[in-house]
Amino acid sequence: SGRSATVFDPNGNITREEMATIIGKVLTQKGKEKANGNELEKFSDKTNIAPWADDNVSLCVKEGIISGMPDNTFMPKQEANRAQSVVMLYNLYKSIK
């Protein structure tokens, strides 16, 4: 759906919360049930996760698609690097195959 109502930004970088949102939508379409939200309690920066991303980040954590950083943060605004992206996509593949 893009970054806003008027900006798509196909060449832009993607944040961890944006990637979790995209993957969460795929999981929902594949019939995975929503998470209860307790999954975010383990992240010390859970309040930095945008409200529009909360449900999908929770679902991705519940399904084992994405995890936090070693210091118990999620770093939602950090750009997803190649390694993180590959791990998330591989875990998505394993979850829905």
mmCIF file of all heavy atoms in Angstrom, residues 14-16 18-27 30 60 63-67 80-97:
data_model
loop_
_atom_site.group_PDB
_atom_site.id
_atom_site.type_symbol
_atom_site.label_atom_id
_atom_site.label_comp_id
_atom_site.label_asym_id
_atom_site.label_seq_id
_atom_site.Cartn_x
_atom_site.Cartn_y
_atom_site.Cartn_z
ATOM 1 N N ILE A 14 13.507 -0.415 3.723
ATOM 2 C CA ILE A 14 12.374 -0.883 4.517
ATOM 3 C C ILE A 14 12.808 -1.065 5.970
ATOM 4 O O ILE A 14 13.885 -1.572 6.240
ATOM 5 C CB ILE A 14 11.808 -2.206 3.923
ATOM 6 C CG1 ILE A 14 10.498 -2.583 4.587
ATOM 7 C CG2 ILE A 14 12.834 -3.327 3.983
ATOM 8 C CD1 ILE A 14 9.740 -3.668 3.840
ATOM 9 N N THR A 15 11.953 -0.619 6.876
ATOM 10 C CA THR A 15 12.261 -0.771 8.299
ATOM 11 C C THR A 15 11.804 -2.145 8.778
ATOM 12 O O THR A 15 11.028 -2.835 8.109
ATOM 13 C CB THR A 15 11.571 0.308 9.151
ATOM 14 O OG1 THR A 15 10.151 0.135 9.066
ATOM 15 C CG2 THR A 15 11.962 1.710 8.704
ATOM 16 N N ARG A 16 12.260 -2.490 9.963
ATOM 17 C CA ARG A 16 11.886 -3.781 10.541
ATOM 18 C C ARG A 16 10.375 -3.860 10.776
ATOM 19 O O ARG A 16 9.757 -4.891 10.526
ATOM 20 C CB ARG A 16 12.656 -4.008 11.834
ATOM 21 C CG ARG A 16 14.145 -4.277 11.593
ATOM 22 C CD ARG A 16 14.968 -4.237 12.865
ATOM 23 N NE ARG A 16 14.479 -5.070 13.938
ATOM 24 C CZ ARG A 16 14.672 -6.383 14.045
ATOM 25 N NH1 ARG A 16 15.359 -7.022 13.116
ATOM 26 N NH2 ARG A 16 14.193 -7.061 15.074
ATOM 27 N N GLU A 18 8.060 -2.208 9.097
ATOM 28 C CA GLU A 18 7.399 -2.262 7.795
ATOM 29 C C GLU A 18 7.469 -3.677 7.220
ATOM 30 O O GLU A 18 6.473 -4.195 6.691
ATOM 31 C CB GLU A 18 8.040 -1.273 6.827
ATOM 32 C CG GLU A 18 7.753 0.174 7.152
ATOM 33 C CD GLU A 18 8.589 1.152 6.348
ATOM 34 O OE1 GLU A 18 9.683 0.782 5.852
ATOM 35 O OE2 GLU A 18 8.160 2.314 6.216
ATOM 36 N N MET A 19 8.618 -4.303 7.342
ATOM 37 C CA MET A 19 8.760 -5.667 6.832
ATOM 38 C C MET A 19 7.861 -6.630 7.605
ATOM 39 O O MET A 19 7.215 -7.497 7.022
ATOM 40 C CB MET A 19 10.211 -6.113 6.902
ATOM 41 C CG MET A 19 10.452 -7.418 6.207
ATOM 42 S SD MET A 19 12.083 -7.501 5.514
ATOM 43 C CE MET A 19 11.955 -9.022 4.608
ATOM 44 N N ALA A 20 7.804 -6.454 8.925
ATOM 45 C CA ALA A 20 6.925 -7.299 9.737
ATOM 46 C C ALA A 20 5.466 -7.089 9.354
ATOM 47 O O ALA A 20 4.674 -8.036 9.380
ATOM 48 C CB ALA A 20 7.136 -7.008 11.220
ATOM 49 N N THR A 21 5.112 -5.880 8.978
ATOM 50 C CA THR A 21 3.732 -5.599 8.565
ATOM 51 C C THR A 21 3.396 -6.327 7.271
ATOM 52 O O THR A 21 2.331 -6.944 7.152
ATOM 53 C CB THR A 21 3.515 -4.083 8.410
ATOM 54 O OG1 THR A 21 3.713 -3.468 9.689
ATOM 55 C CG2 THR A 21 2.130 -3.761 7.901
ATOM 56 N N ILE A 22 4.292 -6.291 6.310
ATOM 57 C CA ILE A 22 4.062 -6.993 5.044
ATOM 58 C C ILE A 22 3.953 -8.496 5.294
ATOM 59 O O ILE A 22 3.028 -9.162 4.817
ATOM 60 C CB ILE A 22 5.195 -6.685 4.045
ATOM 61 C CG1 ILE A 22 5.143 -5.214 3.631
ATOM 62 C CG2 ILE A 22 5.104 -7.600 2.821
ATOM 63 C CD1 ILE A 22 6.387 -4.728 2.910
ATOM 64 N N ILE A 23 4.877 -9.044 6.057
ATOM 65 C CA ILE A 23 4.870 -10.479 6.335
ATOM 66 C C ILE A 23 3.652 -10.868 7.167
ATOM 67 O O ILE A 23 3.031 -11.908 6.935
ATOM 68 C CB ILE A 23 6.190 -10.897 7.011
ATOM 69 C CG1 ILE A 23 7.328 -10.784 5.993
ATOM 70 C CG2 ILE A 23 6.096 -12.310 7.581
ATOM 71 C CD1 ILE A 23 8.710 -10.985 6.564
ATOM 72 N N GLY A 24 3.272 -10.015 8.112
ATOM 73 C CA GLY A 24 2.085 -10.283 8.918
ATOM 74 C C GLY A 24 0.826 -10.366 8.071
ATOM 75 O O GLY A 24 -0.057 -11.198 8.326
ATOM 76 N N LYS A 25 0.746 -9.538 7.056
ATOM 77 C CA LYS A 25 -0.420 -9.590 6.151
ATOM 78 C C LYS A 25 -0.449 -10.900 5.373
ATOM 79 O O LYS A 25 -1.519 -11.474 5.157
ATOM 80 C CB LYS A 25 -0.397 -8.384 5.210
ATOM 81 C CG LYS A 25 -0.723 -7.088 5.920
ATOM 82 C CD LYS A 25 -0.666 -5.892 4.987
ATOM 83 C CE LYS A 25 -0.978 -4.613 5.749
ATOM 84 N NZ LYS A 25 -0.999 -3.440 4.877
ATOM 85 N N VAL A 26 0.716 -11.373 4.968
ATOM 86 C CA VAL A 26 0.787 -12.666 4.281
ATOM 87 C C VAL A 26 0.341 -13.785 5.226
ATOM 88 O O VAL A 26 -0.452 -14.650 4.844
ATOM 89 C CB VAL A 26 2.217 -12.937 3.754
ATOM 90 C CG1 VAL A 26 2.348 -14.364 3.222
ATOM 91 C CG2 VAL A 26 2.608 -11.930 2.686
ATOM 92 N N LEU A 27 0.841 -13.746 6.460
ATOM 93 C CA LEU A 27 0.461 -14.773 7.441
ATOM 94 C C LEU A 27 -1.048 -14.778 7.682
ATOM 95 O O LEU A 27 -1.662 -15.849 7.780
ATOM 96 C CB LEU A 27 1.209 -14.538 8.753
ATOM 97 C CG LEU A 27 2.712 -14.789 8.732
ATOM 98 C CD1 LEU A 27 3.361 -14.268 10.003
ATOM 99 C CD2 LEU A 27 3.016 -16.265 8.530
ATOM 100 N N LYS A 30 -2.837 -16.378 4.927
ATOM 101 C CA LYS A 30 -2.637 -17.820 4.947
ATOM 102 C C LYS A 30 -3.346 -18.489 6.120
ATOM 103 O O LYS A 30 -3.180 -19.670 6.367
ATOM 104 C CB LYS A 30 -1.141 -18.155 4.987
ATOM 105 C CG LYS A 30 -0.412 -17.773 3.724
ATOM 106 C CD LYS A 30 -0.913 -18.601 2.559
ATOM 107 C CE LYS A 30 -0.141 -18.331 1.293
ATOM 108 N NZ LYS A 30 -0.598 -19.167 0.181
ATOM 109 N N CYS A 60 4.183 -11.780 13.799
ATOM 110 C CA CYS A 60 5.485 -12.265 13.321
ATOM 111 C C CYS A 60 6.331 -12.819 14.463
ATOM 112 O O CYS A 60 7.017 -13.829 14.298
ATOM 113 C CB CYS A 60 6.236 -11.148 12.597
ATOM 114 S SG CYS A 60 5.578 -10.804 10.968
ATOM 115 N N GLU A 63 4.790 -16.216 15.510
ATOM 116 C CA GLU A 63 5.039 -17.279 14.530
ATOM 117 C C GLU A 63 6.528 -17.580 14.346
ATOM 118 O O GLU A 63 6.894 -18.438 13.549
ATOM 119 C CB GLU A 63 4.415 -16.903 13.177
ATOM 120 C CG GLU A 63 2.904 -16.860 13.196
ATOM 121 C CD GLU A 63 2.276 -18.216 13.451
ATOM 122 O OE1 GLU A 63 2.821 -19.241 12.964
ATOM 123 O OE2 GLU A 63 1.234 -18.283 14.126
ATOM 124 N N GLY A 64 7.385 -16.857 15.061
ATOM 125 C CA GLY A 64 8.820 -17.108 14.964
ATOM 126 C C GLY A 64 9.466 -16.566 13.707
ATOM 127 O O GLY A 64 10.541 -16.998 13.310
ATOM 128 N N ILE A 65 8.808 -15.609 13.070
ATOM 129 C CA ILE A 65 9.330 -15.030 11.840
ATOM 130 C C ILE A 65 10.436 -14.026 12.132
ATOM 131 O O ILE A 65 11.418 -13.928 11.410
ATOM 132 C CB ILE A 65 8.197 -14.313 11.049
ATOM 133 C CG1 ILE A 65 7.048 -15.272 10.750
ATOM 134 C CG2 ILE A 65 8.732 -13.649 9.791
ATOM 135 C CD1 ILE A 65 7.368 -16.436 9.871
ATOM 136 N N ILE A 66 10.236 -13.255 13.179
ATOM 137 C CA ILE A 66 11.176 -12.197 13.525
ATOM 138 C C ILE A 66 11.406 -12.220 15.033
ATOM 139 O O ILE A 66 10.516 -12.579 15.797
ATOM 140 C CB ILE A 66 10.651 -10.818 13.052
ATOM 141 C CG1 ILE A 66 11.716 -9.739 13.158
ATOM 142 C CG2 ILE A 66 9.380 -10.432 13.774
ATOM 143 C CD1 ILE A 66 11.331 -8.434 12.482
ATOM 144 N N SER A 67 12.602 -11.855 15.409
ATOM 145 C CA SER A 67 12.901 -11.762 16.836
ATOM 146 C C SER A 67 13.604 -10.442 17.090
ATOM 147 O O SER A 67 13.914 -9.711 16.158
ATOM 148 C CB SER A 67 13.767 -12.937 17.289
ATOM 149 O OG SER A 67 14.973 -12.953 16.565
ATOM 150 N N ALA A 80 15.836 -2.795 7.879
ATOM 151 C CA ALA A 80 16.126 -4.229 7.862
ATOM 152 C C ALA A 80 17.307 -4.450 6.927
ATOM 153 O O ALA A 80 17.261 -4.040 5.766
ATOM 154 C CB ALA A 80 14.910 -5.010 7.387
ATOM 155 N N ASN A 81 18.354 -5.073 7.438
ATOM 156 C CA ASN A 81 19.502 -5.333 6.577
ATOM 157 C C ASN A 81 19.278 -6.626 5.793
ATOM 158 O O ASN A 81 18.272 -7.318 5.984
ATOM 159 C CB ASN A 81 20.814 -5.343 7.374
ATOM 160 C CG ASN A 81 20.886 -6.461 8.393
ATOM 161 O OD1 ASN A 81 20.396 -7.562 8.170
ATOM 162 N ND2 ASN A 81 21.500 -6.185 9.528
ATOM 163 N N ARG A 82 20.206 -6.943 4.922
ATOM 164 C CA ARG A 82 20.051 -8.126 4.075
ATOM 165 C C ARG A 82 19.893 -9.406 4.882
ATOM 166 O O ARG A 82 19.033 -10.231 4.583
ATOM 167 C CB ARG A 82 21.268 -8.255 3.169
ATOM 168 C CG ARG A 82 20.938 -8.059 1.754
ATOM 169 C CD ARG A 82 22.138 -8.257 0.878
ATOM 170 N NE ARG A 82 22.100 -7.152 -0.071
ATOM 171 C CZ ARG A 82 23.097 -6.721 -0.751
ATOM 172 N NH1 ARG A 82 24.270 -7.263 -0.613
ATOM 173 N NH2 ARG A 82 22.942 -5.736 -1.590
ATOM 174 N N ALA A 83 20.742 -9.566 5.873
ATOM 175 C CA ALA A 83 20.691 -10.802 6.670
ATOM 176 C C ALA A 83 19.359 -10.932 7.395
ATOM 177 O O ALA A 83 18.753 -12.016 7.398
ATOM 178 C CB ALA A 83 21.848 -10.826 7.667
ATOM 179 N N GLN A 84 18.883 -9.850 7.994
ATOM 180 C CA GLN A 84 17.597 -9.888 8.699
ATOM 181 C C GLN A 84 16.467 -10.198 7.719
ATOM 182 O O GLN A 84 15.568 -10.996 8.026
ATOM 183 C CB GLN A 84 17.333 -8.554 9.395
ATOM 184 C CG GLN A 84 18.261 -8.265 10.539
ATOM 185 C CD GLN A 84 18.159 -6.830 11.015
ATOM 186 O OE1 GLN A 84 17.646 -5.948 10.323
ATOM 187 N NE2 GLN A 84 18.674 -6.578 12.206
ATOM 188 N N SER A 85 16.515 -9.582 6.554
ATOM 189 C CA SER A 85 15.474 -9.802 5.550
ATOM 190 C C SER A 85 15.437 -11.252 5.099
ATOM 191 O O SER A 85 14.364 -11.852 4.974
ATOM 192 C CB SER A 85 15.704 -8.889 4.340
ATOM 193 O OG SER A 85 15.659 -7.540 4.726
ATOM 194 N N VAL A 86 16.611 -11.820 4.863
ATOM 195 C CA VAL A 86 16.670 -13.219 4.428
ATOM 196 C C VAL A 86 16.116 -14.142 5.501
ATOM 197 O O VAL A 86 15.345 -15.060 5.204
ATOM 198 C CB VAL A 86 18.123 -13.607 4.058
ATOM 199 C CG1 VAL A 86 18.274 -15.110 3.892
ATOM 200 C CG2 VAL A 86 18.554 -12.882 2.798
ATOM 201 N N VAL A 87 16.470 -13.905 6.746
ATOM 202 C CA VAL A 87 15.969 -14.737 7.844
ATOM 203 C C VAL A 87 14.447 -14.633 7.930
ATOM 204 O O VAL A 87 13.747 -15.647 8.055
ATOM 205 C CB VAL A 87 16.632 -14.351 9.184
ATOM 206 C CG1 VAL A 87 15.913 -14.994 10.361
ATOM 207 C CG2 VAL A 87 18.093 -14.737 9.183
ATOM 208 N N MET A 88 13.906 -13.415 7.849
ATOM 209 C CA MET A 88 12.446 -13.238 7.925
ATOM 210 C C MET A 88 11.751 -13.938 6.769
ATOM 211 O O MET A 88 10.736 -14.622 6.974
ATOM 212 C CB MET A 88 12.095 -11.759 7.953
ATOM 213 C CG MET A 88 12.413 -11.070 9.252
ATOM 214 S SD MET A 88 11.835 -9.364 9.276
ATOM 215 C CE MET A 88 13.370 -8.488 8.974
ATOM 216 N N LEU A 89 12.276 -13.799 5.551
ATOM 217 C CA LEU A 89 11.643 -14.430 4.398
ATOM 218 C C LEU A 89 11.757 -15.954 4.463
ATOM 219 O O LEU A 89 10.808 -16.663 4.125
ATOM 220 C CB LEU A 89 12.245 -13.893 3.101
ATOM 221 C CG LEU A 89 11.914 -12.438 2.813
ATOM 222 C CD1 LEU A 89 12.686 -11.945 1.595
ATOM 223 C CD2 LEU A 89 10.415 -12.242 2.623
ATOM 224 N N TYR A 90 12.888 -16.467 4.922
ATOM 225 C CA TYR A 90 13.043 -17.911 5.073
ATOM 226 C C TYR A 90 12.074 -18.446 6.126
ATOM 227 O O TYR A 90 11.424 -19.467 5.911
ATOM 228 C CB TYR A 90 14.493 -18.252 5.443
ATOM 229 C CG TYR A 90 14.702 -19.725 5.654
ATOM 230 C CD1 TYR A 90 14.680 -20.599 4.572
ATOM 231 C CD2 TYR A 90 14.920 -20.246 6.915
ATOM 232 C CE1 TYR A 90 14.875 -21.966 4.749
ATOM 233 C CE2 TYR A 90 15.110 -21.606 7.112
ATOM 234 C CZ TYR A 90 15.076 -22.460 6.023
ATOM 235 O OH TYR A 90 15.258 -23.811 6.209
ATOM 236 N N ASN A 91 11.958 -17.739 7.245
ATOM 237 C CA ASN A 91 11.022 -18.175 8.296
ATOM 238 C C ASN A 91 9.576 -18.090 7.818
ATOM 239 O O ASN A 91 8.758 -18.947 8.162
ATOM 240 C CB ASN A 91 11.225 -17.345 9.561
ATOM 241 C CG ASN A 91 12.522 -17.674 10.262
ATOM 242 O OD1 ASN A 91 13.107 -18.733 10.066
ATOM 243 N ND2 ASN A 91 12.998 -16.754 11.087
ATOM 244 N N LEU A 92 9.259 -17.103 6.999
ATOM 245 C CA LEU A 92 7.927 -17.003 6.407
ATOM 246 C C LEU A 92 7.693 -18.210 5.508
ATOM 247 O O LEU A 92 6.645 -18.862 5.606
ATOM 248 C CB LEU A 92 7.774 -15.704 5.612
ATOM 249 C CG LEU A 92 6.508 -15.589 4.764
ATOM 250 C CD1 LEU A 92 5.263 -15.582 5.651
ATOM 251 C CD2 LEU A 92 6.565 -14.343 3.900
ATOM 252 N N TYR A 93 8.641 -18.513 4.675
ATOM 253 C CA TYR A 93 8.519 -19.670 3.778
ATOM 254 C C TYR A 93 8.260 -20.958 4.570
ATOM 255 O O TYR A 93 7.363 -21.734 4.230
ATOM 256 C CB TYR A 93 9.784 -19.802 2.935
ATOM 257 C CG TYR A 93 9.857 -21.089 2.161
ATOM 258 C CD1 TYR A 93 9.072 -21.287 1.020
ATOM 259 C CD2 TYR A 93 10.684 -22.133 2.562
ATOM 260 C CE1 TYR A 93 9.122 -22.484 0.320
ATOM 261 C CE2 TYR A 93 10.731 -23.315 1.874
ATOM 262 C CZ TYR A 93 9.960 -23.495 0.749
ATOM 263 O OH TYR A 93 9.979 -24.671 0.057
ATOM 264 N N LYS A 94 9.044 -21.182 5.624
ATOM 265 C CA LYS A 94 8.860 -22.388 6.443
ATOM 266 C C LYS A 94 7.485 -22.403 7.096
ATOM 267 O O LYS A 94 6.889 -23.472 7.269
ATOM 268 C CB LYS A 94 9.928 -22.473 7.524
ATOM 269 C CG LYS A 94 11.301 -22.811 7.029
ATOM 270 C CD LYS A 94 12.286 -23.125 8.146
ATOM 271 C CE LYS A 94 12.189 -22.215 9.307
ATOM 272 N NZ LYS A 94 13.211 -22.400 10.348
ATOM 273 N N SER A 95 6.970 -21.244 7.451
ATOM 274 C CA SER A 95 5.704 -21.154 8.153
ATOM 275 C C SER A 95 4.500 -21.443 7.260
ATOM 276 O O SER A 95 3.490 -21.959 7.726
ATOM 277 C CB SER A 95 5.565 -19.762 8.775
ATOM 278 O OG SER A 95 4.340 -19.616 9.420
ATOM 279 N N ILE A 96 4.608 -21.123 5.982
ATOM 280 C CA ILE A 96 3.435 -21.244 5.115
ATOM 281 C C ILE A 96 3.538 -22.336 4.055
ATOM 282 O O ILE A 96 2.602 -22.559 3.316
ATOM 283 C CB ILE A 96 3.092 -19.899 4.417
ATOM 284 C CG1 ILE A 96 4.214 -19.444 3.501
ATOM 285 C CG2 ILE A 96 2.748 -18.843 5.440
ATOM 286 C CD1 ILE A 96 3.900 -18.217 2.679
ATOM 287 N N LYS A 97 4.660 -23.023 3.998
ATOM 288 C CA LYS A 97 4.806 -24.047 2.934
ATOM 289 C C LYS A 97 3.911 -25.229 3.163
ATOM 290 O O LYS A 97 3.362 -25.507 4.143
ATOM 291 C CB LYS A 97 6.247 -24.482 2.781
ATOM 292 C CG LYS A 97 6.770 -25.325 3.913
ATOM 293 C CD LYS A 97 8.145 -25.828 3.580
ATOM 294 C CE LYS A 97 8.592 -26.739 4.708
ATOM 295 N NZ LYS A 97 9.703 -27.513 4.390
#
